[in-house]
Amino acid sequence: MSKAEDYQHITVLLHEAVDGLNIREDGVYVDGTFGRGGHSRLILSKLGAAGRLVVFDKDPQAIAVANQLADQDKRVSVVHDGFATFQTALNQLSIEKIDGALFDLGISSPQIDEGERGFSFRFDAPLDMRMDPTRGMSAAEWLAVASEQELHEVIKNYGEERFSRQIARAIVAARQEAPIDTTRKLAQLVAQNVHTHERGQDPATRTFQAVRIFINRELEEVEAVLPQVVGRLSEGGRLAVIAFHSLEDRIVKQFMKKHSQHVPLPRWAAVKESDLPQPPLVLVGKAIKPGETETSANPRARSAVLRLAERTAGSFTAE
């Protein structure tokens, strides 16, 4: 298959995430990762005629689907860019405040399942890995020029791969003989240098994850967008984030925790908690994970974690 719309895409934590936004009929909402529009369509079903939805995505195929939706529903505005451009995009749309934002982080099933995109070691394809293949450096291009130390750091830090140094050394040696320009070449090279791995997991899993995260600047985008969102949320507005691996979730968890607590004071400070400035966020419940029914129907949902926070009247200054 090559057409994005041919894929069956199961939206993870669909109702939990949208219900968590506590939709106001006349509100303005952002879907920061449109994908194939599962969350967006449910949000629209809860909005009235005066409501508005802004959707972001890097992927041209996702944008094609989003544009079709926007043609049918004038409440929808489409931004073909990463969500790190949040502030700029809202300014261009003359939107000052929003009532909620939802981010479904990471890679989508259609991107994995379309072998030619180069995200998966299950297919032999050009090693691209860009969510937007019209911009930036492909994975193959980066592997051709990155230093051994940079390769090691990326694979270790983004893939949490214990054999990162051996893999980096092997990549540098192999590219002297021939370019590492297909998914199969990289997967075979990694397999030769990963001596132990989790049962049921391909040896290349962690390295492919690391390279994809690096090429698409996924963690940097999450770190960039969270303060932008809080600065734009109206009082009572909600932030909902679904993460699929520990690196993303750690960023989200720490950000929400930090901005839902009072500024630490010395023990000797004679100040009542009620006299302290109100934090800009309050956490909404505990982290939510998919139930057994959802994970049975969609095994890719197993690692998903949804976190929710609500904007208060407290002031917020992005650092």
Side-chain angles (χ1 to χ4, degrees):
M1 293 183 185
S2 60
K3 293 182 180 179
E5 55 268 30
D6 289 339
Y7 290 99
Q8 181 183 12
H9 177 60
I10 305 172
T11 305
V12 176
L13 290 168
L14 172 61
H15 293 281
E16 293 88 342
V18 175
D19 288 347
L21 289 175
N22 197 24
I23 302 288
R24 304 171 185 174
E25 284 194 4
D26 60 348
V28 179
Y29 293 86
V30 171
D31 184 347
T33 43
F34 179 79
R36 293 302 178 265
H39 289 121
S40 286
R41 289 184 177 87
L42 187 55
I43 291 170
L44 287 168
S45 74
K46 296 176 180 292
L47 286 176
R52 189 169 182 185
L53 177 65
V54 181
V55 303
F56 287 73
D57 212 294
K58 292 180 179 180
D59 191 323
Q61 294 181 350
I63 290 299
V65 178
N67 283 332
Q68 290 176 0
L69 181 61
D71 289 341
Q72 300 164 3
D73 194 326
K74 299 307 178 185
R75 298 174 297 174
V76 179
S77 299
V78 180
V79 180
H80 181 192
D81 213 334
F83 50 68
T85 63
F86 190 90
Q87 294 268 40
T88 302
L90 293 192
N91 288 341
Q92 291 173 345
L93 293 167
S94 301
I95 295 174
E96 180 62 30
K97 290 290 184 180
I98 63 171
D99 298 292
L102 168 61
F103 298 90
D104 183 357
L105 304 177
I107 192 169
S108 69
S109 295
Q111 289 169 330
I112 296 173
D113 292 336
E114 188 176 0
E116 65 198 54
R117 298 294 298 273
F119 286 108
S120 176
F121 42 77
R122 293 189 291 113
F123 310 96
D124 189 21
L127 190 59
D128 193 311
M129 291 198 188
R130 290 172 294 175
M131 291 183 180
D132 184 349
T134 68
R135 308 178 193 180
M137 181 181 287
S138 71
E141 290 169 337
W142 177 68
L143 289 178
V145 299
S147 68
E148 181 177 325
Q149 181 63 21
E150 184 180 13
L151 289 163
H152 157 62
E153 290 177 356
V154 166
I155 296 169
K156 178 184 178 183
N157 295 333
Y158 294 162
E160 300 177 297
E161 171 58 73
R162 57 187 293 202
F163 297 103
S164 57
R165 194 169 293 282
Q166 293 94 316
I167 295 168
R169 190 178 302 121
I171 289 172
V172 171
R175 73 189 185 192
Q176 304 302 317
E177 303 297 326
I180 304 169
D181 54 7
T182 68
T183 53
R184 179 167 295 169
K185 287 181 183 179
L186 179 59
Q188 289 177 342
L189 185 67
V190 173
Q192 292 165 5
N193 290 274
V194 172
H195 306 300
T196 60
H197 57 89
E198 296 175 28
R199 180 178 296 179
Q201 183 183 82
D202 190 282
T205 299
R206 293 179 180 274
T207 297
F208 268 66
Q209 171 187 292
V211 175
R212 187 204 84 219
I213 289 173
F214 175 79
I215 289 295
N216 294 288
R217 296 180 55 82
E218 293 177 37
L219 301 186
E220 291 90 340
E221 287 218 336
V222 175
E223 290 174 336
V225 77
L226 294 175
Q228 294 182 51
V229 173
V230 176
R232 293 278 184 159
L233 278 173
S234 301
E235 184 178 349
R238 295 280 184 88
L239 168 61
V241 186
I242 302 171
F244 284 83
H245 61 72
S246 60
L247 298 175
E248 294 171 332
D249 186 51
R250 190 177 304 134
I251 293 170
V252 177
K253 180 180 180 179
Q254 291 177 350
F255 178 87
M256 289 184 174
K257 180 179 179 181
K258 176 181 178 181
H259 294 289
S260 62
Q261 295 178 336
H262 294 292
V263 177
L265 293 174
R267 290 185 178 181
W268 48 260
V271 180
K272 294 180 181 178
E273 185 173 316
S274 58
D275 293 332
L276 293 172
Q278 187 178 19
L281 292 177
V282 59
L283 301 181
V284 178
K286 296 182 178 180
I288 299 171
K289 296 184 178 182
E292 188 174 331
T293 301
E294 181 168 5
T295 55
S296 297
N298 180 18
R300 287 176 179 167
R302 283 193 298 259
S303 60
V305 180
L306 167 64
R307 297 185 187 276
L308 299 162
E310 182 174 301
R311 186 72 164 92
T312 72
S315 63
F316 174 78
T317 303
E319 297 175 356

